[in-house]
Amino acid sequence: QVQLVESGGGLVQAGGSLRLSCAASGRTFNRYGMGWFRQAPGKEQEFVASISWNGGATYYSDSVKGRFTISRDNGKNAVYLQMNSLKPEDTTVYYCARSPSGSAWPPQLFDSWGQGTQVTVSS
């Protein structure tokens, strides 16, 4: 069972930036697609971004495209989400997730989750 631990959340003003990190356990990190999702209380989970096993393919939701960038470092077993031009509506808990294969699409593939990190954007 993989363990995913997110970090980097916090409070930022609108227009600011944050970088989320996700550290994964295990020796086979480079075999799997990775992704970021978010979920606000009382709302459905929302796909944010994902990246294939070698970083060759990335996917973004329309709501974050052009503002967020997903990347990974297979040597460090880590995936990142650089969030720029943050908006108050980006406020929620962000979750790191792993796909059961090297693919990072569709979002329904993902089946392993971290505990989440809170991002709060003040207006």
Side-chain angles (χ1 to χ4, degrees):
Q1 182 79 7
V2 66
Q3 289 189 330
L4 304 172
V5 180
E6 301 94 336
S7 61
L11 173 64
V12 65
Q13 289 188 333
S17 299
L18 281 176
R19 188 194 194 206
L20 304 184
S21 299
C22 172
S25 64
R27 300 180 181 179
T28 58
F29 176 79
N30 60 4
R31 296 182 185 178
Y32 300 102
M34 299 295 297
W36 289 95
F37 293 73
R38 62 189 184 186
Q39 186 169 20
K43 294 189 176 181
E44 290 188 358
Q45 185 184 73
E46 178 187 2
F47 167 77
V48 176
S50 61
I51 186 167
S52 62
W53 67 278
N54 64 350
T58 56
Y59 307 89
Y60 297 92
S61 68
D62 288 343
S63 61
V64 308
K65 196 173 296 181
R67 300 188 297 124
F68 292 9
T69 303
I70 189 170
S71 61
R72 66 188 297 160
D73 185 336
N74 286 343
K76 295 182 178 180
N77 277 23
V79 63
Y80 308 100
L81 185 68
Q82 178 66 43
M83 305 187 296
N84 298 329
S85 302
L86 282 161
K87 305 175 181 179
E89 51 263 44
D90 294 318
T91 295
T92 188
V93 179
Y94 285 72
Y95 297 89
C96 176
R98 193 188 78 171
S99 164
S101 74
S103 177
W105 192 263
Q108 293 82 357
L109 274 181
F110 290 80
D111 62 359
S112 298
W113 305 90
Q115 84 289 349
T117 186
Q118 175 71 43
V119 170
T120 303
V121 184
S122 64
S123 57

